[in-house]
Amino acid sequence: MGLIEGIKKAGKELARELKDIKQAPFVQEMCKTASNMYRLGWDERNGGNISYLLDEKEVAEYLDLTKVLRTLPFMGWNETEFDAKPIEGKIFIVTGTGKYFKNVQDDPETNLGIIRIAKGGKGIELLWGYKDGGRTTSELPAHLMCHMARLAIDPENRVIMHSHPTYTLAMNYVHELDEMKLTHTLWEMCTECIAVFPDGVGVLPWMVCGTNEIGIATAEKMKEFRLVVWSMHGIYGAGKTMDETFGLIETVEKAAQIYMLTAHLPRINTIKDEDMVKLAEYFGVKYRKDFLNL
Ligand code: 2HA
Ligand code: ZN
């Protein structure tokens, strides 16, 4: 075989080796999760966003990682205040700004993007997606700051998820927005709550979204909590997998739903604090003892 044929053959083999990105498990997971969240009514219009830290080797099965489609700005990001260097080179799949969760499943290549944090942490390289010229979610600063905060505590953390779950939001208007009190009420609403989120729920006051400030404040809370309520806006969740993260938000939302269905009625029965202790001990979870009235 001549040199030219050899190069052509190698090129073809490389092209053949790349698998169809739309079939990649991480793309499928994003599609299914966005659809579920939409169907549950948590993510109206362009509400909500997800970012998922990917394994470079796995992504390389689907994409040529030397091909950068575009470089993108850090949305709403004040670079002087924030340094993404600790996550330089890391690859994430992220929902797009202004995109509707409703549409992700039908057109992942327009509604999602696969990005890499550029050298020095000073920019974003687009490797796939945002086909219509789109960009990352406006909440990217908050997401990346949360990833950094969670990775420092749990090196296996992969997912940051933001959503507007209906009952959680409704509860924000009628319940005190105090971390201890809110967590305690949620724990009382479903037996398994204390086992699912023994670390409790952090709470931020109402703030302007999309800013560095809310990103910094959320990441600060994420040093302590995997769930952070943005008062009268929604919730942030963090986890090792898409299921774990979704499940955290889903469990808070279920508890909030029970609360909203019963808050106006006389409460005759409740799960007592000593019962919660028994449960947490049975499941062997490290829980916020200071959030109980023992
Ligand atoms: O991405 O939910 O908080 C839309 C939002 C902003
Ligand atoms: Zn939001």
Side-chain angles (χ1 to χ4, degrees):
M1 196 182 345
L3 183 63
I4 304 285
E5 279 106 12
I7 291 170
K8 272 190 190 158
K9 186 165 176 273
K12 269 189 195 153
E13 269 166 16
L14 193 68
R16 208 172 29 237
E17 270 172 25
L18 290 179
K19 298 192 244 170
D20 177 8
I21 184 87
K22 287 186 187 137
Q23 303 308 320
F26 48 85
V27 173
Q28 297 273 319
E29 274 184 287
M30 290 291 282
C31 289
K32 280 189 200 150
T33 307
S35 291
N36 275 333
M37 293 168 84
Y38 173 69
R39 188 178 47 77
L40 288 163
W42 300 355
D43 295 279
E44 74 291 341
R45 201 172 179 274
N46 63 322
N49 28 71
I50 310 172
S51 61
Y52 186 4
L53 175 57
L54 303 178
D55 175 49
E56 188 182 310
K57 278 207 197 85
E58 195 183 353
V59 183
E61 293 175 27
Y62 301 90
L63 295 177
D64 175 356
L65 299 182
T66 64
K67 268 198 196 145
V68 174
L69 304 180
R70 282 187 276 144
T71 54
L72 304 175
F74 279 129
M75 300 281 291
W77 193 301
N78 182 346
E79 286 186 28
T80 53
E81 279 177 34
F82 180 66
D83 180 15
K85 201 152 189 324
I87 48 169
E88 79 173 357
K90 296 247 188 265
I91 299 174
F92 297 87
I93 186 163
V94 185
T95 49
T97 182
K99 299 294 188 261
Y100 293 24
F101 272 25
K102 165 174 92 67
N103 300 333
V104 173
Q105 185 121 45
D106 285 342
D107 188 1
E109 198 172 352
T110 301
N111 295 289
L112 303 175
I114 295 180
I115 59 158
R116 180 169 55 202
I117 308 301
K119 273 220 169 68
K122 291 293 177 208
I124 303 169
E125 297 168 336
L126 180 66
L127 301 173
W128 176 82
Y130 305 142
K131 205 173 67 179
D132 61 352
R135 293 179 296 180
T136 53
T137 167
S138 57
E139 300 294 355
L140 193 70
H143 276 251
L144 293 185
M145 289 183 215
C146 287
H147 276 288
M148 292 199 293
R150 286 310 305 172
L151 284 168
I153 293 157
D154 175 7
E156 288 179 23
N157 195 84
R158 293 287 173 270
V159 181
I160 301 290
M161 191 180 280
H162 167 61
S163 184
H164 306 158
T166 313
Y167 291 94
T168 305
L169 213 39
M171 190 174 170
N172 274 217
Y173 290 85
V174 296
H175 193 282
E176 277 175 90
L177 290 167
D178 165 89
E179 280 161 0
M180 187 264 168
K181 287 181 184 157
L182 186 72
T183 300
H184 188 268
T185 301
L186 292 168
W187 281 351
E188 279 181 323
M189 292 298 121
C190 305
T191 294
E192 292 187 348
C193 276
I194 194 168
V196 174
F197 52 96
D199 40 347
V201 177
V203 178
L204 286 185
W206 187 90
M207 293 173 81
V208 177
C209 52
T211 60
N212 263 24
E213 290 68 35
I214 201 166
I216 292 164
T218 312
E220 196 54 38
K221 287 286 177 202
M222 284 235 165
K223 291 181 182 165
E224 208 180 327
F225 303 100
R226 288 171 301 156
L227 287 158
V228 179
V229 162
W230 280 8
S231 290
M232 287 153 296
H233 178 140
I235 193 162
Y236 260 72
K240 296 183 201 335
T241 64
M242 198 68 84
D243 269 355
E244 181 193 331
T245 317
F246 181 87
L248 281 171
I249 296 178
E250 188 182 28
T251 308
V252 166
E253 175 64 353
K254 178 64 177 273
Q257 183 175 8
I258 309 289
Y259 178 78
M260 292 309 294
L261 289 170
T262 56
H264 56 295
L265 301 170
R267 192 172 319 168
I268 297 170
N269 303 303
T270 198
I271 302 169
K272 299 187 194 77
D273 284 28
E274 62 248 42
D275 297 331
M276 293 191 224
V277 172
K278 282 184 210 154
L279 203 92
E281 281 171 4
Y282 179 73
F283 283 99
V285 292
K286 201 165 154 261
Y287 62 103
R288 287 290 298 253
K289 286 197 177 70
D290 56 326
F291 282 4
L292 290 177
N293 301 307
L294 294 170

